[in-house]
Amino acid sequence: MATIQLTATLPSLPDGWSAEKDFKPIDHLSAPISRAIEPVGPHFLAHARRKRHKRTFSEDER
Amino acid sequence: MSAEQGSPEPTQDQPERVAIGISFGNSNSSIAYTTAIEGKAEVIANEEGDRQIPSTLSYVNGEEFSGTQAKAQIVRNPRDTITSFRDFLGKTFEQIDPSPCHASAHPVSVNGGAGFVVQDHTEVKQPEKSTLSVSEVTTRHLRRLKQSATDYLGKNVTAAVVTVPSDFSDEQKTALSASAQKAGIEVLQFIPEPIAALLAHDAKAQIAAEGGPASEHQDKIVLVADFGGTRSDVAVVASRGGMYTTLATSHDYRLGGSSLDKVLVEYAAKEFLKKHKTAKDPRETERSLSKLTLDAESVKKALSIGGSASFSVESLIDGLDFNLTVNRTRYELLSNKIFMAFTRLVESAVQKADLDILDIDTILLSGGTSHTPKIASNLQSHFPESTIIISPSTSSSAINPSELSARGAAIQASLISEFEKEQIEESTEAVVTVTPHLHNAIGLVVAGGAAGKEEFSVLVEPETPVPVRRTAQLTVKDGGDVIIKLAEGGRSIVVSAAEKATTNGAADSDDEDDDSDDEPEENRSKVWATQKVIAEAGLRGVKKGGKIEVQVNVAADLSLTMVCREVGGKGGVRGVVQAARVELNGNAA
Ligand SMILES: Nc1ncnc2c1ncn2[C@@H]1O[C@H](COP(=O)(O)OP(=O)(O)OP(=O)(O)O)[C@@H](O)[C@H]1O
Ligand SMILES: [Mg+2]
């Protein structure tokens, strides 16, 4: 996927905000829905290969 | 594109496999291949020069005719001409709808399934006629397609990717596979027609945008509407990073181009009877009706391009010739009800997918009937302006809708033709295809518009399969310390009344929600809102006008990694949000 270019402004860091290594996990992602991807096209083949070899995106790119 | 890297070794012990794409409809079939050099999909013209080959076989004095020649025999030789049989495959005789065959050979019960009785041999035999199962008819038809492709390519075609409707059952696939095998075609994979159409469309867009930033896939919701001859099928597909997930489908087994032919036949017959008050009704004589129907189809096709077209039938009935010019406006008026039915079918698929018409980014029109300009323009006015309609009359770069699914099949064939059959089967199994999809969008909480109000900016669209990775960049105008809030968001449809000049008194307009077909008096728009914040990251000391990059990586187990950094700067923030452990512990987190 191409990099998404956003034209928005980020809020300034509130006074007194602090977190370990400046990162604060707050909540989990909601439960996903299980659906079937169509086994068609070049991007699916890449997906199937990653799944077979249990590889991540960056490992896949090496 | 690196997708083919590391594909398994080609099969060695077999002779070279020559694979093509086949679309096999009740009305027409097409064969396609990909060019070795450019990798472009092309539809093959058969020996008669047809790229849409009627799925028809006819026996004349025992000799077999196929395609256009066979279709022409409906007039002279209806009972020895077999049409519209694809949907009979793998069904019991009780399950089939024989109505599309009313003008040709009528289906009979053969070993519990459907079949046809035709005179397919020249020698004097007993019985005079043969009973052919629909499987045998399919084999004969596919043998013709294989031969045409083989002649064209100069290589013996041995395998194919074949498109089937999105609701084709396993029994139907098994039957079709067996019929193909007997015709000398190994079916490497069945792929749904709408997905094949989308693959062909995307592949062309890809080639067109080669190199540029648009050559990467954009996430979009695509509605593929396949308007065929006897039936029409719609699929709503989430296209995410070039992968396709079908969200919903809807089908109408009685709506298609032949419904439009019938409208023209009715009109023509009435005009004929107006001119010839004492003549017999051409609709009541089988041969006259077939002549009129064939001509109606040509008139209809011509009206997709021209402003008028003419019937010209020699000796329609009682030796009377028939000529009639129909203009497009008249045709569109006559067909209005049927055109509306196409729009309704599309609308029903949107509803089944639990989406709003505002969610549909693109409508891809596929199938022969999609050449009809009015069908496309009706959709254009039903859907918001943001929806792009891909059809010959609305988009100059549209691929011929009659060729879309065959081309897609050819592209898929070229992608998998080196794989062994077992490997193809393995990668189409549920363990590989069934994948968690995000329910909500993931994005950033930002200060948007003029008022600096909080807004939600999407990075990962809903219905995206995981694992997924997305990267976004944005500029920090003033520099300094900023907070990057990653959140889940949902979209809602906001309805605001359009400014009305009418003075409607002070009446409470609360209960104006009756969905009457009045002029739309409201603006509907899609608005994203933050639902819950997942994580916060602080990025300190950003340069004035510095560019920030945020990368989100959601793993298959729904754990999330976020990396934020200033482009060209040092360091950055990296953090992980664990997945909720709902299965293990009911009150997790
Ligand atoms: N240029 C055109 N303008 C209008 N209609 C057309 C045009 N070309 C083909 N058609 C119509 O498209 C229909 C055939 O569509 P298509 O080839 O997609 O059908 P199919 O998928 O084989 O059939 P089915 O829906 O019966 O399974 C026919 O009714 C034909 O008349
Ligand atoms: Mg079709």
Side-chain angles (χ1 to χ4, degrees):
Chain A
M1 281 289 297
T3 301
I4 303 160
Q5 298 295 338
L6 298 178
T7 50
T9 318
L10 286 176
S12 334
L13 203 59
D15 288 341
W17 186 94
S18 84
E20 200 189 328
K21 291 185 175 160
D22 279 341
F23 183 81
K24 200 188 276 181
I26 293 173
D27 208 336
H28 304 287
L29 289 179
S30 304
I33 316 167
S34 188
R35 296 187 190 274
I37 307 174
E38 299 287 353
V40 176
H43 297 266
F44 169 78
L45 287 183
H47 160 88
R49 200 176 55 240
R50 281 193 297 272
K51 203 153 181 170
R52 265 204 314 276
H53 302 305
K54 302 205 162 42
R55 280 196 298 213
T56 65
F57 285 102
S58 19
E59 286 162 356
D60 203 42
E61 277 161 3
R62 268 173 219 149
Chain B
M1 161 81 249
S2 62
E4 277 154 287
Q5 270 174 24
S7 14
E9 306 73 51
T11 45
Q12 276 144 6
D13 42 354
Q14 282 170 26
E16 193 201 359
R17 181 196 268 161
V18 179
I20 58 167
I22 297 180
S23 83
F24 169 30
N26 291 297
S27 303
N28 297 296
S29 298
S30 288
I31 41 185
Y33 73 109
T34 50
T35 56
I37 308 143
E38 292 168 278
K40 257 175 61 187
E42 302 267 10
V43 173
I44 296 171
N46 71 358
E47 49 292 348
E48 289 182 84
D50 292 325
R51 287 183 170 76
Q52 279 72 57
I53 303 162
S55 304
T56 306
L57 289 175
S58 184
Y59 295 90
V60 182
N61 302 323
E63 194 190 339
E64 183 180 274
F65 288 85
S66 71
T68 300
Q69 287 186 6
K71 188 171 172 178
Q73 289 297 326
I74 292 176
V75 173
R76 290 172 166 275
N77 252 323
R79 297 291 95 79
D80 283 324
T81 302
I82 306 172
T83 67
S84 289
F85 53 89
R86 198 267 324 263
D87 281 354
F88 299 168
L89 268 169
K91 285 190 181 166
T92 65
F93 186 68
E94 286 68 35
Q95 285 169 331
I96 68 156
D97 173 9
S99 53
C101 300
H102 66 89
S104 54
H106 295 165
V108 295
S109 175
V110 178
N111 301 326
F116 300 90
V117 179
V118 291
Q119 197 194 326
D120 69 337
H121 45 78
T122 31
E123 319 91 86
V124 186
K125 274 193 193 169
Q126 283 305 326
E128 206 185 325
K129 294 208 163 202
S130 306
T131 302
L132 309 179
S133 66
V134 68
S135 296
E136 170 61 19
V137 173
T138 302
T139 296
R140 293 183 183 189
H141 173 62
L142 293 176
R143 207 176 268 144
R144 292 288 191 143
L145 297 179
K146 171 186 157 129
Q147 194 55 49
S148 298
T150 295
D151 290 348
Y152 182 90
L153 296 172
K155 284 186 278 191
N156 186 30
V157 169
T158 55
V161 168
V162 181
T163 64
V164 290
S166 50
D167 63 348
F168 222 50
S169 69
D170 286 344
E171 290 78 28
Q172 290 178 292
K173 288 177 193 168
T174 305
L176 179 45
S177 206
S179 294
Q181 198 69 50
K182 284 196 192 128
I185 302 168
E186 178 192 18
V187 177
L188 299 179
Q189 192 184 352
F190 287 112
I191 64 174
E193 292 165 344
I195 302 300
L198 188 48
L199 182 63
H201 171 74
D202 281 348
K204 180 171 178 204
Q206 199 91 353
I207 289 172
E210 202 63 65
S215 72
E216 296 272 1
H217 275 278
Q218 272 211 318
D219 286 349
K220 55 195 185 228
I221 298 285
V222 186
L223 184 147
V224 185
D226 182 350
F227 301 143
T230 61
R231 59 181 281 172
S232 291
D233 303 84
V234 178
V236 180
V237 182
S239 170
R240 304 290 186 233
M243 280 190 280
Y244 307 124
T245 301
T246 302
L247 302 177
T249 64
S250 60
H251 311 272
D252 190 327
Y253 306 107
R254 291 271 171 109
L255 178 67
S258 45
S259 328
L260 296 166
D261 300 342
K262 274 185 202 126
V263 167
L264 282 170
V265 165
E266 287 300 303
Y267 174 64
K270 282 178 191 150
E271 292 298 306
F272 175 80
L273 291 173
K274 264 193 221 162
K275 259 188 244 167
H276 305 281
K277 298 233 158 47
T278 56
K280 275 214 295 274
D281 188 335
R283 289 168 294 184
E284 278 157 24
T285 307
E286 185 171 24
R287 186 163 176 162
S288 309
L289 178 60
S290 288
K291 277 189 176 178
L292 209 48
T293 305
L294 277 181
D295 227 45
E297 189 180 5
S298 313
V299 167
K300 175 191 72 176
K301 287 186 186 175
L303 286 171
S304 290
I305 314 171
S308 70
S310 300
F311 277 89
S312 170
V313 187
E314 256 176 57
S315 178
L316 176 58
I317 199 161
D318 299 338
L320 292 165
D321 294 346
F322 174 60
N323 294 287
L324 174 73
T325 300
V326 186
N327 67 37
R328 178 156 338 149
T329 317
R330 168 63 53 98
Y331 166 62
E332 289 175 351
L333 223 54
L334 292 167
S335 308
N336 188 39
K337 262 200 182 141
I338 289 162
F339 289 158
M340 306 263 271
F342 289 109
T343 306
R344 271 201 308 277
L345 184 66
V346 165
E347 173 69 40
S348 75
V350 178
Q351 278 170 15
K352 271 195 185 171
D354 222 357
L355 293 177
D356 187 272
I357 50 175
L358 283 163
D359 293 313
I360 308 297
D361 300 302
T362 303
I363 296 181
L364 177 62
L365 288 181
S366 173
T369 298
S370 290
H371 281 101
T372 313
K374 190 66 178 173
I375 294 178
S377 66
N378 281 352
L379 288 171
Q380 188 82 78
S381 41
H382 183 78
F383 277 80
E385 268 170 45
S386 56
T387 306
I388 297 166
I389 316 268
I390 313 283
S391 80
S393 61
T394 53
S395 136
S396 58
S397 62
I399 294 176
N400 180 349
S402 298
E403 295 191 352
L404 274 171
S405 64
R407 287 196 192 207
I411 294 167
Q412 182 68 6
S414 75
L415 289 174
I416 63 171
S417 65
E418 310 250 287
F419 288 63
E420 280 173 44
K421 190 72 196 289
E422 300 85 76
Q423 287 174 309
I424 299 169
E425 270 159 16
E426 263 171 37
S427 65
T428 60
E429 273 166 14
V431 281
V432 178
T433 60
V434 175
T435 307
H437 285 59
L438 297 174
H439 186 55
N440 297 319
I442 299 174
L444 298 180
V445 183
V446 294
K453 225 177 58 189
E454 251 195 16
E455 277 181 6
F456 179 83
S457 213
V458 178
L459 297 187
V460 191
E461 295 277 347
E463 306 299 355
T464 299
V466 293
V468 59
R469 182 181 63 189
R470 293 287 184 270
T471 309
Q473 290 184 339
L474 72 172
T475 305
V476 182
K477 220 172 82 199
D478 302 331
D481 300 347
V482 291
I483 182 163
I484 300 161
K485 289 196 221 178
L486 191 77
E488 277 190 355
R491 78 102 181 90
S492 47
I493 304 296
V494 173
V495 183
S496 61
E499 304 90 75
K500 276 186 278 184
T502 44
T503 41
N504 232 347
D508 195 352
S509 55
D510 254 359
D511 42 12
E512 258 186 22
D513 52 348
D514 57 332
D515 265 341
S516 59
D517 281 344
D518 291 343
E519 286 290 292
E521 304 266 344
E522 51 187 32
N523 286 320
R524 303 176 73 254
S525 58
K526 199 167 144 172
V527 176
W528 290 97
T530 303
Q531 289 178 332
K532 64 174 181 187
V533 176
I534 301 295
E536 291 177 353
L539 208 53
R540 299 176 194 267
V542 179
K543 269 197 319 250
K544 220 172 164 121
K547 194 171 240 187
I548 285 187
E549 188 172 277
V550 180
Q551 188 173 81
V552 177
N553 215 319
V554 183
D557 68 351
L558 271 273
S559 64
L560 178 150
T561 308
M562 178 182 178
V563 182
C564 310
R565 60 181 192 96
E566 186 176 346
V567 178
K570 283 205 192 85
V573 177
R574 184 180 186 278
V576 176
V577 180
Q578 294 305 330
R581 259 181 296 234
V582 268
E583 287 114 319
L584 299 180
N585 185 345
N587 47 17

